[in-house]
């Protein structure tokens, strides 16, 4: 039976440390905890790295975080060659917070890009210094200068970002909430996590299980680094931090 880890990052993306109990160590050395602040790789956002401090004070470096048999079973993958904790042991957790904050800013920037470019999304990937979103976009007027300017308007307006839970039925009644062309949000669990931007979600709302900053201003200065043509209508937009380099 897969374990259902309590995912603290879904309610508070800003938790960088907490305490937990070891509930299992799998045959590949992956550590399963009763609750965690480590985001598991999913939806284009990489999993967290960091460390687990054992009851005796030993630090166990966590090299990756992945989902197990289900999305709710979170596996902390330690660096090889470390002594593993025992089931029942109380431990302290700490994620690599500077890295996670960069991922939260980048991930949120991808949401803003989907607002500026309201076209079907065919793929996305987030990293600390570069992210990409692929769109089916028939309109050639979306240049990197124009898109960058509109992204910065959203950043500078410092819109709030918050979570709202809706039911499967709500989602079925509002199919335009889903912007991804190929990926359906998980349904059947009864509730869907919507990430909302702006007062009363006036700017955007879309299903997402990732981690985001609390206001668009925290994204900071970003620009479109490149737009690559991937097909007749498919375009890959790359987001980078900082000002757009001079041409
Ligand atoms: Zn998201």
């Amino acid at each position: 039976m897969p374990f259902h880890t309590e995912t603290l990052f879904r309610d508070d993306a800003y938790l960088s440390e907490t305490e937990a109990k070891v509930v299992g160590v799998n045959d590949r050395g992956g550590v399963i905890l009763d609750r965690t602040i480590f985001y598991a790789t999913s939806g284009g956002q990489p999993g967290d790295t960091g460390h687990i401090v054992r009851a005796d004070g030993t630090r166990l470096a966590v090299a990756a975080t992945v989902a197990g048999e289900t999305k709710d079973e979170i596996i902390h993958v330690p660096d090889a060659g470390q002594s593993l904790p025992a089931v029942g042991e109380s431990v302290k957790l700490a994620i690599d917070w500077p890295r996670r904050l960069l991922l939260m800013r980048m991930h949120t920037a991808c949401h803003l890009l989907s607002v500026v470019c309201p076209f079907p999304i065919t793929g996305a990937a987030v990293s600390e210094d570069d992210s990409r979103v692929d769109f089916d976009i028939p309109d050639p007027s979306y240049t990197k200068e124009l898109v960058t300017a509109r992204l910065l308007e959203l950043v500078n307006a410092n819109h709030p970002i918050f979570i709202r839970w809706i039911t499967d039925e709500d989602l079925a009644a509002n199919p335009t909430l889903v912007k991804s062309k190929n990926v359906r949000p998980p349904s059947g669990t009864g509730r869907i996590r919507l990430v909302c931007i702006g007062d009363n979600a006036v700017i955007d709302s879309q299903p997402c299980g990732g981690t985001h900053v609390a206001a668009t201003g925290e994204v900071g200065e970003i620009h479109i680094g490149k737009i690559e043509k991937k097909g007749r209508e498919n375009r890959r937009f790359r987001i980078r931090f900082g000002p757009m380099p001079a041409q």
Side-chain angles (χ1 to χ4, degrees):
M1 272 286 283
F3 185 78
H4 189 118
T5 310
E6 188 187 346
T7 48
L8 302 178
F9 56 82
R10 283 199 188 126
D11 294 319
D12 184 0
Y14 287 81
L15 268 182
S16 60
E17 292 182 348
T18 196
E19 293 174 359
K21 216 178 248 321
V22 178
V23 297
V25 178
N26 70 20
D27 49 12
R28 285 172 298 170
V31 178
I32 302 161
L33 304 162
D34 63 342
R35 53 195 224 140
T36 194
I37 49 176
F38 283 74
Y39 180 78
T41 302
S42 170
Q45 182 179 332
D48 283 315
T49 57
H51 62 267
I52 295 172
V53 182
R54 295 189 54 190
D56 66 2
T58 319
R59 270 171 74 123
L60 185 69
V62 176
T65 311
V66 296
E69 278 181 60
T70 70
K71 248 186 156 163
D72 289 315
E73 185 183 59
I74 295 185
I75 317 276
H76 306 78
V77 183
D79 276 334
Q82 304 179 98
S83 74
L84 298 171
V87 171
E89 194 170 318
S90 292
V91 292
K92 292 196 173 103
L93 313 181
I95 56 172
D96 179 342
W97 174 248
R99 175 176 179 270
R100 157 72 89 70
L101 186 56
L102 287 172
L103 292 170
M104 283 165 46
R105 291 170 59 203
M106 264 299 181
H107 182 129
T108 306
C110 292
H111 283 249
L112 299 183
L113 180 58
S114 78
V115 172
V116 172
C117 299
F119 299 97
I121 294 170
T122 58
V126 176
S127 82
E128 298 103 293
D129 45 20
D130 176 286
S131 293
R132 63 168 177 83
V133 183
D134 301 339
F135 295 94
D136 276 343
I137 177 166
D139 185 343
S141 70
Y142 284 78
T143 62
K144 60 182 185 178
E145 290 78 13
L146 176 91
V147 173
T148 297
R150 291 200 179 149
L151 285 171
L152 290 178
E153 279 171 24
L154 291 171
V155 169
N156 293 333
N158 201 25
H159 296 291
I161 301 173
F162 60 96
I163 302 297
R164 178 181 288 163
W165 291 92
I166 61 167
T167 63
D168 289 348
E169 293 74 28
D170 293 332
L171 186 67
N174 295 279
T176 54
L177 283 173
V178 180
K179 298 183 179 183
S180 175
K181 201 175 158 185
N182 310 317
V183 187
R184 301 277 103 188
S187 65
T189 57
R191 42 182 229 153
I192 306 273
R193 184 181 192 254
L194 277 191
V195 174
C196 304
I197 304 177
D199 291 322
N200 297 313
V202 286
I203 304 293
D204 191 42
S205 57
Q206 60 178 295
C208 184
T211 58
H212 312 84
V213 291
T216 59
E218 287 188 52
V219 170
E221 186 162 22
I222 48 172
H223 66 276
I224 297 299
K226 222 198 285 185
I227 302 175
E228 298 161 49
K229 206 170 157 137
K230 303 302 281 184
R232 204 162 53 86
E233 290 193 340
N234 200 252
R235 298 285 181 280
R236 171 165 293 176
F237 286 66
R238 292 197 174 273
I239 307 172
R240 303 217 165 105
F241 286 124
M244 187 178 268
Q247 298 296 308

